[in-house]
């Protein structure tokens, strides 16, 4: 059966660990100049209904480094943008390419696409989840601090797609997640309930961060919420991650942000630039290595 990666729950905990190990190995191989043409003559289709820098470049560069190629497909230039049904696009594209990556709005779209696709489908961000980012985040934590199992992780800010993927990550890598969000911006309640053994809502950012080994945040208004930006600023202003907030965390705690970041909003300029605490550049780079490992896993599954 074709394996897809729509959320972190599509792989077992052992498979995810394998992907992270492979990502670390692929990174070392790339740095030492070892060539890998596992994807010779293979094509990745990349559907982007939202903007992207990291995701597009990491998938495209990753395919090229593995000897394959990637096609950038935007709704502006494809029939998807003119209303061709997702089911039809999935059936057609998956007869032509070897793997498909989609960034879109509704999570149900990637689910429908995967249902009709003959080849693996990767969720490259929906309004619901951003699982590829979590592969990079976990790889980064492993490289800097070792396995996340048993660690305390704090999510500060919006209960959004990234927060939902952190909740799934807590389950898959067996860590404790403390979430602090303004009232009305909490993560999905069913997802919280399903993971209440390891995920809890905290009343304040300081409570969530207290003793944490890993602190993460994200923008206050996600793609598609541009109209709410001004109103959200008001609700979120007490949720900035800065050195003062990090002073409540464990002494060697690290800070992550999937980027792009808004300095002076969800993170202070001083904190994101503080290399002692902030690992955001390694985190961004690891999108490349972890997605190569993911694609190799799905191709061989
Ligand atoms: N973090 C992330 O997914 O970045 P892009 O939107 O630039 O792809
Ligand atoms: N939550 C953000 C993540 C961007 C990578 C968004 O969906 O816009």
């Amino acid at each position: 059966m074709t394996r897809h990666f729509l959320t972190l729950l599509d792989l077992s905990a052992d498979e995810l660990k394998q992907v992270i190990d492979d990502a670390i190995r692929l990174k070392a191989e790339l740095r030492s100049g070892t060539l890998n043409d596992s994807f010779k003559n293979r094509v990745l289709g990349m559907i982007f209904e939202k903007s992207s820098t990291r995701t597009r470049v990491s998938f495209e560069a990753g395919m090229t480094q593995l000897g394959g190629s990637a096609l950038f497909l935007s709704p502006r230039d494809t029939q998807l943008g003119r209303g061709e049904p997702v089911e039809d696009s999935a059936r057609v594209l998956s007869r032509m390419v070897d793997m498909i990556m989609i960034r879109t709005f509704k999570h149900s779209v990637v689910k429908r696409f995967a249902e009709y696709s003959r080849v693996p489908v990767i969720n490259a961000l929906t309004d619901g989840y951003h699982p590829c980012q979590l592969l990079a985040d976990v790889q980064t934590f492993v490289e800097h601090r070792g396995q996340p199992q048993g660690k305390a992780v704090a999510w500060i800010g919006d209960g959004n797609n990234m927060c939902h993927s952190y909740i799934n990550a807590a389950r898959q890598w067996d860590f404790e997640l403390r979430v602090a969000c303004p009232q009305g911006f909490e993560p999905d309640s069913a997802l919280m309930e399903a993971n209440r053994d390891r995920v809890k809502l905290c009343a304040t950012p300081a409570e969530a961060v207290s003793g944490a080994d890993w602190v993460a945040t994200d923008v206050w208004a996600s793609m598609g919420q541009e109209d709410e930006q001004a109103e959200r600023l008001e609700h979120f202003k007490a949720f900035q991650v800065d050195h003062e907030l990090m002073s409540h965390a464990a002494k060697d705690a690290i800070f992550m942000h999937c980027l792009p970041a808004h300095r002076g909003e969800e993170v202070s300029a001083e904190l994101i630039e503080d290399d002692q605490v902030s690992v955001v550049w390694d985190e961004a780079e690891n999108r490349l290595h972890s997605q190569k490992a993911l694609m190799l896993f799905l191709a061989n599954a």
Side-chain angles (χ1 to χ4, degrees):
M1 221 181 61
T2 306
R3 299 282 300 270
H4 303 292
F5 185 65
L6 308 187
T7 75
L8 290 171
L9 305 185
D10 287 332
L11 267 60
S12 70
D14 284 346
E15 288 170 339
L16 288 170
K17 280 209 179 75
Q18 188 60 53
V19 168
I20 300 301
D21 288 351
D22 290 345
I24 292 170
R25 182 180 46 78
L26 287 164
K27 183 173 182 173
E29 285 177 8
L30 182 71
R31 293 203 170 156
S32 68
T34 309
L35 293 181
N36 182 336
D37 63 355
S38 307
F39 278 163
K40 191 159 184 262
N41 296 326
R42 305 278 191 99
V43 181
L44 171 74
M46 307 192 302
I47 300 172
F48 279 99
E49 299 200 290
K50 290 175 174 170
S51 304
S52 169
T53 297
R54 280 145 287 268
T55 304
R56 178 178 176 182
V57 175
S58 54
F59 270 108
E60 199 163 327
M63 267 320 271
T64 304
Q65 289 167 9
L66 292 169
S69 60
L71 287 174
F72 175 74
L73 302 164
S74 100
R76 264 193 300 280
D77 324 295
T78 57
Q79 301 291 3
L80 250 178
R82 296 182 59 248
E84 183 168 11
V86 169
E87 295 81 353
D88 295 4
S89 304
R91 281 176 284 193
V92 172
L93 290 175
S94 70
R95 284 170 183 242
M96 298 176 179
V97 302
D98 302 285
M99 208 171 286
I100 296 167
M101 179 240 84
I102 313 181
R103 168 168 287 197
T104 188
F105 292 86
K106 287 198 187 112
H107 190 71
S108 58
V109 169
V110 294
K111 287 215 259 192
R112 249 164 55 226
F113 199 102
E115 237 174 84
Y116 286 85
S117 172
R118 284 184 174 183
V119 301
V121 174
I122 297 172
N123 172 7
L125 183 147
T126 62
D127 292 343
Y129 298 92
H130 194 6
C132 290
Q133 183 67 50
L134 262 292
L135 296 181
D137 288 20
V138 171
Q139 182 186 344
T140 308
F141 191 84
V142 170
E143 288 174 344
H144 284 268
R145 296 287 183 268
Q147 289 301 326
Q149 186 174 27
K151 300 288 184 186
V153 182
W155 175 265
I156 309 299
D158 196 11
N160 62 10
N161 45 8
M162 276 297 300
C163 179
H164 290 158
S165 284
Y166 264 84
I167 295 172
N168 281 341
R171 182 192 194 89
Q172 295 289 55
W173 278 280
D174 192 21
F175 59 76
E176 178 200 346
L177 181 68
R178 296 92 160 269
V179 177
C181 306
Q183 218 181 356
F185 298 91
E186 294 88 356
D188 180 73
S189 53
L191 189 63
M192 287 295 285
E193 182 58 26
N195 292 285
R196 65 177 179 172
D197 51 335
R198 65 192 77 230
V199 184
K200 68 166 186 170
L201 269 182
C202 297
T204 62
E207 184 191 329
V209 165
S210 172
D213 303 291
W214 168 0
V215 178
T217 190
D218 185 15
V219 289
W220 291 340
S222 285
M223 290 182 275
Q225 297 173 331
E226 288 78 6
D227 294 353
E228 300 170 29
Q229 173 81 25
E231 187 200 329
R232 280 172 169 260
L233 275 179
E234 274 307 299
H235 290 285
F236 282 82
K237 60 185 178 207
F239 288 75
Q240 181 180 101
V241 183
D242 57 11
H243 278 108
E244 196 287 315
L245 186 63
M246 290 300 291
S247 72
H248 299 270
K251 229 171 64 211
D252 64 347
I254 52 178
F255 169 75
M256 293 198 205
H257 189 311
C258 63
L259 307 178
H262 292 190
R263 288 165 173 78
E265 294 183 17
E266 74 276 3
V267 60
S268 68
E270 295 75 21
L271 182 70
I272 200 168
E273 296 295 347
D274 179 354
D275 290 344
Q276 298 297 310
V277 186
S278 166
V279 292
V280 298
W281 314 120
D282 287 345
E283 182 187 1
E285 177 189 334
N286 285 339
R287 295 293 304 278
L288 171 68
H289 311 297
S290 56
Q291 285 158 198
K292 284 165 74 178
L294 172 69
M295 291 192 287
L296 288 167
F297 172 84
L298 292 173
N300 297 315

